[in-house]
Amino acid sequence: MRLVVALTGASGQIYGIRVLEELAKRDVETHVIVSKAARITLEAEGYSISDVEKLSSYFYSDDELAAPISSGSFRHDGMIVAPCSIKTASSIACGIADNLVTRAADVTLKERRKLLLLVRETPLHTGHLRTLLTLSELGAIIMPPVPAFYIKPKSVDEIVTHTVARALSFFDIEVESKRWEGLKV
């Protein structure tokens, strides 16, 4: 399996890191892009570019518009943007492919591959909601990382893992995590 993974400037870099950790455990080939804003947020949240590079099969900066993943002829099984800033989501929705993150996402949509966006923004105004609707209409999967408290998490780590497990399940990748089993009444 081969996935494109992008980290953008929103808070919640742990989501992208955890996605890469889980994919590395499964020998999934990853093509990773880190936006300029994500580089700043990674540092602010206690990570470094080298942390991301170590977890990547292939690593690109967002100005590498000639990278293989910028073309529809590059075959992959989908793309995850985690976290996805509203700026990135807006650019993708409008087809503004002016960096490698948005170009790779645009190509993913045009080739009818899975594009999953862990959109990190709150509250959402009407323009944000219209953007997310447009993305959904284009075929993207919109998945804000909303915690599931029915799993009775005991740590932030459990919350992050559960969200990442749900995200990766869209690509038929199983990550061990608590699941809803219904109510016993």
Side-chain angles (χ1 to χ4, degrees), residues 4 6 8 33 65 68-74 76 78-81 84 87-117 134-135 138-140:
V4 176
T8 67
I33 318 156
L65 289 172
I69 58 176
S70 69
S71 172
S73 65
F74 180 82
H76 62 82
M79 180 174 178
I80 302 173
V81 184
C84 183
K87 175 189 181 291
T88 299
S90 298
S91 293
I92 296 166
C94 294
I96 301 171
D98 61 348
N99 63 52
L100 189 55
V101 173
T102 56
R103 174 62 187 161
D106 190 63
V107 166
T108 299
L109 288 173
K110 82 177 184 72
E111 296 295 326
R112 304 292 194 255
R113 297 181 185 128
K114 289 181 183 174
L115 173 64
L116 187 138
L117 308 175
T134 297
L135 287 164
L138 292 170

Side-chain angles (χ1 to χ4, degrees), residues 7-184:
L7 287 73
T8 67
S11 181
Q13 297 298 309
I14 185 61
Y15 291 110
I17 297 285
R18 184 62 49 79
V19 163
L20 292 171
E21 288 170 346
E22 292 297 335
L23 295 176
K25 289 179 192 175
R26 290 156 181 79
D27 292 322
V28 173
E29 182 181 300
T30 55
H31 291 259
V32 181
I33 318 156
V34 176
S35 74
K36 287 181 179 87
R39 290 172 182 269
I40 295 166
T41 311
L42 275 163
E43 295 284 329
E45 294 185 356
Y47 301 100
S48 69
I49 291 299
S50 66
D51 293 331
V52 178
E53 288 176 335
K54 288 176 196 168
L55 293 167
S56 308
S57 306
Y58 298 89
F59 183 85
Y60 309 94
S61 68
D62 65 349
D63 60 355
E64 290 184 62
L65 289 172
I69 58 176
S70 69
S71 172
S73 65
F74 180 82
R75 307 279 300 171
H76 62 82
D77 299 292
M79 180 174 178
I80 302 173
V81 184
C84 183
S85 68
I86 203 69
K87 175 189 181 291
T88 299
S90 298
S91 293
I92 296 166
C94 294
I96 301 171
D98 61 348
N99 63 52
L100 189 55
V101 173
T102 56
R103 174 62 187 161
D106 190 63
V107 166
T108 299
L109 288 173
K110 82 177 184 72
E111 296 295 326
R112 304 292 194 255
R113 297 181 185 128
K114 289 181 183 174
L115 173 64
L116 187 138
L117 308 175
L118 260 70
V119 177
R120 278 277 303 116
E121 187 63 61
T122 190
L124 299 167
H125 62 59
T126 304
H128 296 151
L129 295 169
R130 286 188 181 120
T131 294
L132 298 178
L133 176 60
T134 297
L135 287 164
S136 181
E137 291 169 342
L138 292 170
I141 300 163
I142 310 302
M143 187 182 164
V146 178
F149 292 104
Y150 63 81
I151 65 169
K152 298 187 173 115
K154 297 191 179 20
S155 67
V156 171
D157 186 66
E158 284 184 30
I159 292 170
V160 171
T161 298
H162 184 266
T163 298
V164 167
R166 292 270 297 126
L168 291 177
S169 71
F170 282 97
F171 300 91
D172 297 321
I173 297 170
E174 291 299 316
V175 174
E176 189 172 323
S177 181
K178 294 178 186 174
R179 295 190 176 272
W180 176 252
E181 296 178 3
L183 295 174
K184 294 172 177 76

